[in-house]
Amino acid sequence: AITLTHGGAAANIEDLTSDGQYFYAACGAKGIMRENAAAEGAEDAQWNAAVTHTIAYAAGRVCAGVIANSSTTPNRFTTFSIGGSGDTGTEERSGGHLTLGKGWTVGSFTEANGHIYFCAYKGNRGMVYAWPLGLDSSGNTQYPFVAWDLPPGLCPREAFSAGGSIFVRAYRQSTGSTGTAYIYRGLPDPQTGALTPFFITELADKATTDDHAVGEFTARDNQVFWGWKK
């Protein structure tokens, strides 16, 4: 088990990722904590103070969903460079790459085809964004764009890259904690990065008590697997 402390108090882990050398923990109001994966210390270093709830290592950087403009959910997509002077988690674009309205949730980051893809949703609306990693014709960092605007009622909860495709778990809320999840395979346009979605399967009837909004993708060889919370 991993126990993080900062300022003499416990730091609750909202999300976790690793670059192979360190692990990075999204700890809400306590920011991003970083610890050597080989030897956890007694007091954990705050790598960046941003109020962070979702996090992933992708394309050689730390991607995060942070709270902005008094939102109660992580509504800003930002990235932090690794290394450099002090290695204290420098934001690659001050103020983040994309800030959505209050109540939007940004999370689940993955890389494919020269883009970082991530999910964003609020209520029964959602989309998958793509952030181009290269510079524009003027040499400036580019901004994210909507790679797939999901139909009303479907919210993307997880994006996963494998075999050059983006697999997406889309969720349709029913009542309480029940609902239906749909697995899609998105094929990125080789020029623009926009996604063309293809439906794969429906996980379960919406009357189930299983929580299909929660789950993980993984891949082995040429197969992709997914699960859900029982």
Side-chain angles (χ1 to χ4, degrees):
I2 299 173
T3 301
L4 299 181
T5 58
H6 182 68
N12 294 326
I13 299 174
E14 304 286 345
D15 201 4
L16 192 67
T17 191
S18 175
D19 63 3
Q21 180 179 3
Y22 298 96
F23 68 76
Y24 302 81
C27 296
K30 291 188 178 295
I32 300 174
M33 304 293 179
R34 188 178 79 164
E35 185 65 77
N36 192 315
E40 184 191 356
E43 177 72 7
D44 298 285
Q46 186 186 66
W47 192 62
N48 190 277
V51 182
T52 307
H53 286 259
T54 58
I55 196 168
Y57 175 75
R61 51 179 47 84
V62 170
C63 306
V66 305
I67 285 180
N69 301 333
S70 302
S71 177
T72 58
T73 57
N75 60 327
R76 172 176 289 172
F77 164 63
T78 191
T79 57
F80 301 93
S81 60
I82 297 175
S85 178
D87 191 9
T88 56
T90 302
E91 198 171 28
E92 292 189 292
R93 172 183 273 138
S94 179
H97 302 290
L98 176 73
T99 302
L100 300 175
K102 294 180 181 180
W104 281 86
T105 294
V106 171
S108 190
F109 314 96
T110 192
E111 178 201 1
N113 192 40
H115 296 74
I116 288 178
Y117 292 87
F118 59 94
C119 300
Y121 63 90
K122 177 184 180 182
N124 66 350
R125 292 289 295 117
M127 56 275 292
V128 176
Y129 278 89
W131 177 49
L133 292 170
L135 302 178
D136 64 18
S137 58
S138 299
N140 299 316
T141 301
Q142 301 187 65
Y143 287 90
F145 64 91
V146 176
W148 178 28
D149 190 0
L150 277 69
L154 282 182
C155 297
R157 296 301 184 92
E158 185 185 6
F160 177 78
S161 60
S165 297
I166 301 297
F167 293 85
V168 176
R169 175 195 305 273
Y171 181 69
R172 185 184 302 278
Q173 181 72 43
S174 180
T175 59
S177 63
T178 65
T180 307
Y182 304 87
I183 305 298
Y184 288 87
R185 179 183 184 183
L187 297 182
D189 183 286
Q191 301 300 320
T192 67
L195 296 177
T196 300
F198 295 90
F199 174 73
I200 296 178
T201 189
E202 177 181 324
L203 287 185
D205 183 83
K206 65 182 180 181
T208 182
T209 57
D210 295 348
D211 188 353
H212 290 91
V214 179
E216 295 287 342
F217 285 101
T218 191
R220 180 180 180 185
D221 298 329
N222 63 345
Q223 295 181 312
V224 173
F225 304 86
W226 52 85
W228 60 89
K229 181 180 178 181
K230 296 289 288 183

